[in-house]
Amino acid sequence: MNAKIAIIEDEPDIRRILCDFLLKNGCTVSEAADGLTALKLLTEDQFDLILMDLMLPKISGERLIAELRTHSDTPVIVISARSMLETRLEVLRLGADDYILKPFDLNEVLVRMEVVLRRTGSANPSETITIGGLSIYPAENRACWKDKPLSLTAKEFQLLLLFMEHPQKVYSKANLYESVWNEEYCYEDNTVSVHVSNLRSKLKKASGQDLIETVWGIGYKMKEEK
Ligand code: CA
């Protein structure tokens, strides 16, 4: 993951573990061990994502989030030992994007970070995504099956990008319509079905298999790799 991360955590061991892990995964990392240093760091520099403890010396995580949200949309994932539902809700209400409980699993932290970055659109948009034999190059507006270029219309391309960005997610027709056409969905409309079906047949022709599946009564998703 090529992202610039701020770690705000007063416990040196936890800070070190997170820092080493993220560096190993290709991130750039800055650290702050108390709220005041954090405030300075966040004012002076821009980050792709902030990992934040709540119980911090000098300025609490809650106050930092509230302050940050007055001028910035930078995604925040809270990592805290405070498990009370009210705390979690309060922090999400203040504008945090996710909440991870201590003790945490490092791989879970990474996955949650990826999800938040994708959802908030902070992920590098030119990042190539490959699933099985299928690759998509958003910066160049092209997609390939095993190096063989696919000839897709603009809408088919955008649909495929959405599916590939969130391969586990089931998209309803309304989701797809509102994301790709950017208009409100109305039920009589079969635009989405037509475009998805064209995309599927192109993918099938290139790969010899159905790469998108219908989830009955819900919508569509990428087919799980076998
Ligand atoms: Ca703490």
Side-chain angles (χ1 to χ4, degrees):
M1 191 195 313
N2 175 16
K4 192 171 160 189
I5 312 295
I7 300 175
I8 301 168
E9 168 66 70
D10 59 322
E11 287 160 69
D13 288 349
I14 297 182
R15 210 167 58 239
R16 177 90 354 250
I17 290 169
L18 283 171
C19 185
D20 289 349
F21 179 72
L22 294 180
L23 286 172
K24 215 163 47 187
N25 279 281
C27 298
T28 315
V29 179
S30 298
E31 305 170 39
D34 64 74
L36 206 58
T37 316
L39 189 62
K40 193 159 176 282
L41 184 71
L42 299 181
T43 319
E44 287 172 357
D45 209 346
Q46 289 287 321
F47 295 92
D48 295 319
L49 190 144
I50 301 163
L51 294 179
M52 193 181 300
D53 184 22
L54 290 181
M55 286 179 273
L56 292 163
K58 295 177 188 168
I59 301 177
S60 72
E62 286 96 330
R63 278 183 57 200
L64 282 174
I65 296 170
E67 157 63 25
L68 182 76
R69 283 292 172 262
T70 61
H71 61 88
S72 159
D73 291 331
T74 306
V76 174
I77 298 180
V78 167
I79 302 188
S80 172
R82 274 159 60 182
S83 63
M84 282 183 340
L85 182 64
E86 301 90 87
T87 310
R88 280 186 276 166
L89 292 180
E90 187 201 331
V91 165
L92 294 173
R93 213 173 280 132
L94 279 173
D97 297 88
D98 203 353
Y99 197 105
I100 299 174
L101 264 183
K102 286 177 184 169
F104 52 80
D105 173 81
L106 282 170
N107 289 310
E108 188 192 351
V109 173
L110 195 65
V111 170
R112 301 267 204 117
M113 286 172 64
E114 284 165 356
V115 170
V116 166
L117 284 170
R118 293 246 167 82
R119 194 177 59 211
T120 56
S122 315
N124 186 352
S126 60
E127 208 176 322
T128 304
I129 307 169
T130 298
I131 299 174
L134 192 61
S135 296
I136 194 160
Y137 307 86
E140 299 151 48
N141 269 309
R142 63 187 183 94
C144 294
W145 172 258
K146 296 188 173 161
D147 295 331
K148 217 166 49 189
L150 297 166
S151 160
L152 304 177
T153 66
K155 294 295 184 210
E156 289 161 3
F157 181 85
Q158 287 175 49
L159 287 167
L160 182 61
L161 181 58
L162 215 53
F163 286 129
M164 290 184 74
E165 277 180 331
H166 308 275
Q168 308 297 332
K169 182 172 156 74
V170 180
Y171 285 96
S172 68
K173 287 182 190 174
N175 282 161
L176 292 171
Y177 193 76
E178 282 158 18
S179 306
V180 171
W181 278 263
N182 229 341
E183 286 167 38
E184 203 163 329
Y185 180 72
C186 83
Y187 275 94
E188 320 313 320
D189 198 39
N190 69 352
T191 312
V192 173
S193 334
V194 170
H195 283 79
V196 170
S197 139
N198 290 343
L199 172 64
R200 281 173 94 162
S201 48
K202 285 182 185 179
L203 293 175
K204 197 165 182 178
K205 205 170 155 211
S207 68
Q209 46 190 296
D210 216 345
L211 300 179
I212 291 170
E213 65 179 313
T214 305
V215 181
W216 200 82
I218 308 176
Y220 309 96
K221 72 186 281 291
M222 288 297 294
K223 201 154 195 164
E224 308 260 351
E225 280 184 83
K226 302 247 166 57

